[in-house]
C-alpha cells in the first residue's frame, strides 16, 4: 500500500492517508486502533470494496486500482476470506450453505476444495476443527446458532478453499474472554495449515500475544475528520 | 446454485410480506382480466340483443335512433308507420315474415309493446335463441299480457295477476287505462335483452285501450267498456316499427332500398347488425374507462410490491454486505433483487389468472341467470398474453429501482455490516 489517500463520500467527511504499509505473506498481523479510527476503512481498501482516490493498493502482485469493479469483486472472491465483527451469516440460510457460499463465486477456491474431497466434506472438517459438531448443525438455520457459534461458522466460510488472505474486522468483540481466546487459537491453527496471511483489526491490545506482528493504526495512517 | 437457494430462502423468510405482494398482484391481474372478459361478454351480449331479424322498419329516422326505440325501448319514435304501409311491406315478394310493434304506453316504468304472437316466434337473441316462457302461455285473449323476467321479478307478478297500463311513458302515469285491465298470461325467461323489461300485449289490445281516446286523453261521455270493445273492429291505424325477416338474406339491400324509397310515406329500414355496431361505438367509451381503471389497479399493485421490497431493503443490507464480501458482483446483487421482483410478479400473474378462471367457471351460470351476460370461458387472447407478459416485465423493471438503491448502499457501507 503506497501513498494512499481515501475519502468516504458523503458527510461527515472522513479522510485517511497512508504513506506506506506492507504485509508479508504468511504473517499474522494485528492492527490496533480506537473505535472509529479508520480500521474498517483500511480493511475496505485492502479488500477492494472501495478504491483509493490516489495511490495504489497492491495485493499478491496485483494493483487493485487498475482492476475494473467487476474484476475487483472476482479478485476478492478468489483471494480473500472476510470475517466481520458480527452478523456474518445469512440468517435464513443453513450453516452448510453459508460456509459453501464463497465457492460459488470463486473457481480456484472450488478447485482447491475439490482436489482433496467433496465441498461438503471439507466444510464439515473445517467446522469440526473450529470446535463445532457439523453433523448436528449443518442443516440448521444460521440464525438458530449462538453468537459464538456463528463467528466460528463465519471463520469456516472465510477459510474454505484456502484463500491467500484472511481479513477479520474485530471478529471477537462480541465474544467473552474465554471464547475469544479459543476462537483465535482455532483461527490461527486453520489459517496456518492453509498458509493464509491473516490480518485482523481490533481495539483490544490484550489479544496481541499470539500475533507475529502488531501495528498501531496511528503509526501508519493519518486520519482527518471534518466536522460538519 | 447456493446463491439461488439462498435467495429463495431469503424470500421464504419474508413469506408473509411476499405472499401479500403476490396476492395484491394476483387480485389486480384478476380484475384486469375479469374486466376484459366482462367487456367482451358485454359486447357479445349487446351484439346478440337481436338476431334472426334482417331489417327493422320505422318512420324515417337515423339507424341508431330506430334501433334504440324499437329494440332497446329507449326514447320515442318521432313518427308512426301507417297500417297500409306495413301491409304493403309485408306483401313484398322477398319478405318472409313481419312482426308489427306498437310502442308508447308503459306499466310502472316498463314499456308496453303491442305486437302479435309472431313476435315470440321470430324474435331471436344470442345467436338464434327463441324467447321461452318460464310460466303460463303467450297471450290468447284480447286483454292478456306476457311480461319479461325483470318486470315479473321487480313487481312480483305471477300468472293471473291484473295489471293496469298507464298512458305515456312516465314511471308514474297520471292517465291510466284503468277501465280495461290486463291479465298476466305468461312470464318470459331471462334473456339479458330489453325483452326482460317489457310488457307484451296484443296489437289489438293497444287499439282497444285507446279506442275511446283522442289527442291523448279520454273523450268525456264516450267511454266504451271492456266488454263492448271486443265487438268492434280493432284494426290498428298505425304502428311504431316492424321487424322483417326475408326469404333470402341476399335480398336484404334490395328490400332495404325499396323501403327507403317507399313513395307513399318516408320510411327507414336498417340492418340490426350494422346499427348495433354503430351504437356500440357510442357506448364503447365506457369500455376504455374500464380498461383504464384496471390498468391503474395493476400499477397500484406493482407500487405495493416496490414498497415491500424497499421496506425489506434495510434488513437486507446485511445480506448485500455479506454477498459483496464473498465476491458477489454488483450484477449478482442487482440480479437477485430484480429476479425476486420478477418471480413475485410472475407468481401473482399466474395465481390471478388461475383464480379468475376458477371464479368464472363457478360464477358463469349465475352471471348469465342474474345479469343475462354470457361470459365466454375462452383461453386468454393474444392481447391478454401480451398484457400479462408486460406486467411481469414491469415487475422486473420495478424491482430494478430498489436493486440499484441496494447496491449503492452496499458500496457506501464498505466493510461494515449495518443492521
Amino acid at each position: 500500500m503506497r501513498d494512499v489517500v481515501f475519502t468516504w463520500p458523503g458527510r461527515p467527511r472522513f479522510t485517511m492517508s497512508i504513506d506506506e504499509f506492507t504485509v508479508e505473506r504468511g504473517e499474522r498481523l494485528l492492527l490496533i486502533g480506537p473505535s472509529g479510527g479508520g480500521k474498517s476503512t483500511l480493511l475496505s481498501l485492502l479488500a477492494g470494496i472501495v478504491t483509493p482516490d490516489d495511490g495504489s493498493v497492491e495485493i499478491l502482485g496485483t494493483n487493485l486500482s487498475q482492476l475494473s469493479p467487476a474484476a475487483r469483486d472476482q479478485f476478492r472472491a478468489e483471494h480473500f476470506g472476510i470475517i466481520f465483527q458480527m452478523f456474518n451469516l445469512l440468517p435464513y440460510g443453513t450453516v452448510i450453505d453459508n460456509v459453501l457460499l464463497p465457492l460459488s463465486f470463486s473457481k480456484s477456491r472450488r478447485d482447491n476444495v475439490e482436489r482433496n474431497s467433496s465441498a461438503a466434506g471439507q466444510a464439515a472438517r473445517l467446522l469440526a476443527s473450529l470446535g463445532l459438531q457439523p453433523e448436528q448443525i449443518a442443516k440448521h438455520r444460521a440464525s438458530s446458532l449462538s453468537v459464538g457459534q456463528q463467528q466460528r461458522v463465519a471463520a469456516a466460510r472465510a477459510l474454505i478453499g484456502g484463500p491467500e488472505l484472511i481479513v477479520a474486522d474485530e471478529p471477537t468483540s462480541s465474544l467473552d474472554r474465554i471464547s475469544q481466546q479459543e476462537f483465535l487459537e482455532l483461527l490461527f491453527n486453520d489459517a496456518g495449515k492453509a498458509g493464509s496471511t491473516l490480518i485482523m483489526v481490533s481495539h483490544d491490545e490484550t489479544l496481541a500475544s499470539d500475533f507475529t506482528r502488531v501495528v498501531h493504526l496511528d503509526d501508519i495512517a493519518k486520519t482527518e475528520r471534518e466536522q460538519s | 446454485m447456493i446463491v439461488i437457494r439462498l435467495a429463495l430462502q431469503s424470500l421464504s423468510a419474508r413469506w408473509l410480506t411476499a405472499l401479500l405482494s403476490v396476492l395484491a398482484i394476483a387480485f389486480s391481474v384478476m380484475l384486469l382480466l375479469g374486466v376484459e372478459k366482462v367487456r367482451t361478454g358485454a359486447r357479445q351480449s349487446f351484439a346478440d340483443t337481436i338476431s334472426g331479424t334482417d331489417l327493422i322498419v320505422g318512420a324515417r329516422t337515423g339507424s341508431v335512433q330506430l334501433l334504440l326505440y324499437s329494440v332497446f325501448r329507449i326514447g320515442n319514435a318521432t313518427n308512426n308507420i301507417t297500417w297500409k304501409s306495413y301491409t304493403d311491406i309485408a306483401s313484398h315478394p322477398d319478405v318472409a315474415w313481419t312482426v308489427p310493434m306498437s310502442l308508447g304506453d308503459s306499466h310502472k316504468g316498463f314499456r308496453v309493446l303491442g305486437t302479435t304472437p309472431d313476435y315470440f316466434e321470430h324474435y331471436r337473441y344470442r345467436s338464434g335463441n327463441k324467447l321461452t316462457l318460464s310460466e303460463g302461455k303467450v297471450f290468447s285473449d284480447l286483454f292478456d299480457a306476457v311480461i319479461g323476467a325483470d318486470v315479473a321479478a321487480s313487481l312480483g307478478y305471477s300468472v293471473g295477476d291484473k295489471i293496469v297500463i298507464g298512458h305515456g311513458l312516465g314511471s308514474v302515469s297520471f292517465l291510466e287505462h284503468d277501465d280495461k285491465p290486463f291479465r298476466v298470461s305468461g312470464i318470459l325467461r331471462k334473456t339479458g335483452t330489453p325483452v326482460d323489461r317489457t310488457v307484451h300485449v296484443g296489437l289489438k289490445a293497444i287499439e282497444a285501450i285507446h279506442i275511446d281516446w283522442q289527442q291523448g286523453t279520454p273523450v268525456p261521455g264516450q267511454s266504451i267498456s271492456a266488454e263492448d270493445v271486443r265487438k268492434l273492429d280493432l284494426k290498428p291505424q298505425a304502428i311504431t316499427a316492424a321487424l322483417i325477416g326475408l326469404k333470402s338474406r341476399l335480398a336484404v339491400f334490395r328490400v332495404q332500398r325499396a323501403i327507403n324509397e317507399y313513395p307513399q310515406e318516408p320510411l327507414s329500414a336498417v340492418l340490426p347488425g350494422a346499427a348495433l355496431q354503430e351504437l356500440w361505438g357510442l357506448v364503447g367509451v365506457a369500455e376504455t374507462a374500464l380498461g383504464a381503471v384496471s390498468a391503474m389497479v395493476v400499477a397500484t399493485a406493482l407500487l405495493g410490491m416496490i414498497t415491500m421490497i424497499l421496506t425489506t431493503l434495510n434488513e437486507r443490507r446485511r445480506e448485500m454486505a455479506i454477498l459483496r464480501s464473498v465476491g458477489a458482483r454488483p450484477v449478482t446483487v442487482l440480479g437477485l433483487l430484480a429476479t425476486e421482483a420478477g418471480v413475485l410478479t410472475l407468481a401473482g400473474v399466474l395465481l390471478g389468472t388461475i383464480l379468475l378462471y376458477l371464479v368464472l367457471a363457478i360464477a358463469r351460470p349465475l352471471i348469465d341467470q342474474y345479469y343475462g351476460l354470457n361470459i365466454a370461458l375462452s383461453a386468454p387472447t393474444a392481447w391478454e398474453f401480451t398484457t400479462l407478459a408486460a406486467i411481469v416485465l414491469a415487475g422486473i423493471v420495478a424491482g430494478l429501482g430498489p436493486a440499484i438503491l441496494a447496491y449503492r448502499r452496499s458500496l457506501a457501507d464498505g466493510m461494515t455490516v449495518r443492521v
Side-chain angles (χ1 to χ4, degrees), chain B residues 21-240:
Chain B
S21 302
V22 168
L23 283 182
I25 294 168
F27 286 136
S28 68
V29 164
M30 210 172 134
L31 189 70
L32 184 81
L33 287 187
V35 164
E36 177 64 15
K37 292 276 181 217
V38 169
R39 199 177 64 84
T40 7
R43 180 179 209 147
Q44 198 51 48
S45 298
F46 186 84
D48 285 349
T49 306
I50 182 166
S51 65
T53 298
D54 294 312
L55 286 169
I56 302 172
V57 178
R60 179 147 303 164
T61 181
S63 58
V64 169
Q65 172 84 359
L66 178 55
L67 185 77
L68 278 177
Y69 71 70
S70 64
V71 176
F72 289 94
R73 322 265 144 81
I74 295 168
N76 297 309
T78 44
N79 242 319
N80 284 342
I81 314 173
T82 62
W83 187 250
K84 182 174 180 312
S85 306
Y86 170 71
T87 47
D88 277 358
I89 293 166
S91 59
H92 189 281
D94 287 324
V95 172
W97 54 263
T98 57
V99 174
M101 301 167 84
S102 184
L103 293 148
D105 283 343
S106 66
H107 173 71
K108 297 191 175 166
F110 294 103
R111 297 290 175 105
V112 172
L113 169 65
T115 185
T116 60
D118 287 347
Y119 180 78
F120 303 102
E121 187 59 37
H122 293 301
Y123 184 93
R124 299 289 165 89
Y125 69 102
R126 206 180 282 175
S127 48
N129 287 2
K130 266 168 77 166
L131 298 175
T132 50
L133 290 151
S134 60
E135 268 185 75
K137 53 187 175 53
V138 171
F139 42 75
S140 50
D141 185 67
L142 180 62
F143 292 115
D144 274 354
V146 172
I147 58 176
D150 286 355
V151 181
S154 64
L155 300 177
Y157 288 157
S158 51
V159 172
D161 285 355
K162 296 277 181 202
I163 60 172
V164 169
I165 287 173
H167 190 75
L169 300 171
S171 65
V172 177
S173 297
F174 295 104
L175 290 170
E176 297 203 309
H177 301 288
D178 48 3
D179 56 332
K180 300 180 184 73
F182 282 75
R183 191 185 69 92
V184 175
S185 74
I187 297 170
L188 293 167
R189 267 188 224 288
K190 180 102 181 166
T191 62
T193 69
V195 171
D196 299 342
R197 297 183 298 278
T198 305
V199 175
H200 306 79
V201 300
L203 194 60
K204 286 182 175 175
I206 293 285
E207 204 55 36
I209 57 177
H210 293 105
I211 199 150
D212 46 4
W213 288 41
Q214 269 177 17
Q215 312 289 333
T217 48
V219 180
Q222 274 198 20
S223 75
I224 297 168
S225 75
E227 286 312 310
D228 294 341
V229 83
R230 292 175 189 274
K231 295 164 196 151
L232 298 172
D233 176 22
L234 293 171
K235 199 180 75 145
Q237 300 297 305
I239 56 168
T240 315

Side-chain angles (χ1 to χ4, degrees), chain A residues 20 32 214-222:
Chain A
E20 183 162 7
I32 295 196
V214 178
V215 173
H216 285 260
L217 189 64
D218 301 344
D219 298 338
I220 56 159
K222 283 197 288 291

Side-chain angles (χ1 to χ4, degrees), chain A residues 80-102:
Chain A
F80 278 89
I82 295 175
I83 309 171
F84 298 117
Q85 198 166 349
M86 56 203 307
F87 309 118
N88 270 291
L89 307 180
L90 297 173
Y92 38 79
T94 60
V95 167
I96 190 81
D97 278 348
N98 266 292
V99 173
L100 295 178
L101 186 61

Side-chain angles (χ1 to χ4, degrees), chain A residues 8 40 43-44 49-50 70 73-74 76-77 82 84 87-94 97 100-102 104-105 157 167, chain B residues 2-3 5-6 9-10 12-13 318-319 321-330 332 411-412 414-417 419:
Chain A
W8 281 108
S40 296
L43 289 191
S44 296
I49 289 174
V50 294
D73 289 328
Q74 188 58 39
R76 181 164 60 252
I82 295 175
F84 298 117
F87 309 118
N88 270 291
L89 307 180
L90 297 173
Y92 38 79
T94 60
D97 278 348
L100 295 178
L101 186 61
S104 46
F105 295 102
R157 184 183 63 199
V167 172
Chain B
I2 290 182
V3 179
R5 187 156 72 237
L6 286 171
Q9 282 164 345
S10 162
S12 68
R318 186 203 305 197
E319 198 176 317
I322 293 166
L323 286 174
R324 292 269 289 146
S325 81
V326 296
R329 293 175 194 198
T332 316
L411 275 186
M415 278 283 290
T416 15
V417 180
V419 178

